[in-house]
Amino acid sequence: MSKTINLTLPLYPGMPVGNVWAWDAPFRQEPIVTLETNGVRIDALSFHSETGTRLMMAATIDDNAPTIGEIELDKFVNCEAVVIDIPKGAEEEIGPEDIDRHVANNPDYHMGDIVLIRTGWGNNKRYEKLGDDYAIKTPHFSEAGSIRLAEIMKEKGSDTVAIDVAYIGSCGWKHMKKEWVDLPKWLRPPFPSETAKIYLKNYTKDKAWPDWAASWPLHAHGYIIAALCNLDQITSKRIKLTALPLMARDCIGAPVTVVAIED
């Protein structure tokens, strides 16, 4: 008997993932027509490419890398995945020592597996309880931890890491957090506000790359599935994972629906 577990963050107005950084265009949902007036309900939805649980790819940093529409449909369907526990709390880093201890010689990690890392951050609807702090205070990789994981994945023939943290690494620690996130909300109206556009115009590569240094090694290596939830419902060390992104053909990443199938 198999069990299907939904690992996908729900999308709803005010959700934290996709709502705090200067480039975030928060998820919005508003009625176009209503049952009361029109006899039918249709909603307008808007969001950006890293809203909620999402697939991130090398195209984020490489113009020559494939976009969503260039990925084979079965790339993330019914894939072998190994579940690796690396417990972390608010603002804690996943360092190279964690990777060496939990990933490098893990007996359940087979060649070509998706590496599914469970920190515990996505459990118990914490995203609802913490609000924006779910994204701002997320555990994340250190740069050295990200580099070490990419090295091991290359050795094992793996090209995808999936994880239950809101953001992969660094979290704008040097510039964007202090210059944008730490401001009162009324001083940082979300994209596409003119305030956000002006900030991003001045947020050049010399600021962005140090701010997110721990993300780039994993982006460059392959695929990242981030902001998973409900990983505590998985009881096996090995599962089948399916991740289907929104088919936004020319996008460099997209929200994704992820399910685990446990035998």
Side-chain angles (χ1 to χ4, degrees), residues 84-89 91-100 102-103 117-120 138-149 161-165 167-170 214 218:
I84 298 177
D85 288 294
I86 306 180
K88 293 292 177 180
E91 299 183 288
E92 291 186 335
E93 288 190 328
I94 301 171
E97 65 283 354
D98 295 305
I99 303 303
D100 285 333
H102 297 285
V103 182
I117 295 177
R118 180 167 55 188
T119 69
T138 182
H140 53 274
F141 285 95
S142 69
E143 184 178 8
S146 181
I147 290 170
R148 182 62 182 133
L149 178 58
V161 59
I163 191 167
D164 61 352
V165 299
Y167 292 94
I168 290 296
S170 308
L218 290 171

Side-chain angles (χ1 to χ4, degrees), residues 27-86:
F27 179 83
R28 289 184 173 86
Q29 178 179 358
E30 59 181 304
I32 298 171
V33 294
T34 66
L35 284 171
E36 293 78 10
T37 302
N38 310 98
V40 62
R41 174 180 167 177
I42 301 174
D43 290 344
L45 306 178
S46 64
F47 47 90
H48 79 136
S49 62
E50 293 195 2
T51 299
T53 304
R54 66 232 185 248
L55 175 65
M56 299 184 290
M57 312 188 301
T60 305
I61 57 173
D62 181 359
D63 281 339
N64 296 314
T67 61
I68 289 289
E70 295 170 314
I71 300 174
E72 293 295 328
L73 181 63
D74 62 354
K75 170 65 180 172
F76 299 110
V77 175
N78 211 27
C79 299
E80 297 286 346
V82 58
V83 182
I84 298 177
D85 288 294
I86 306 180

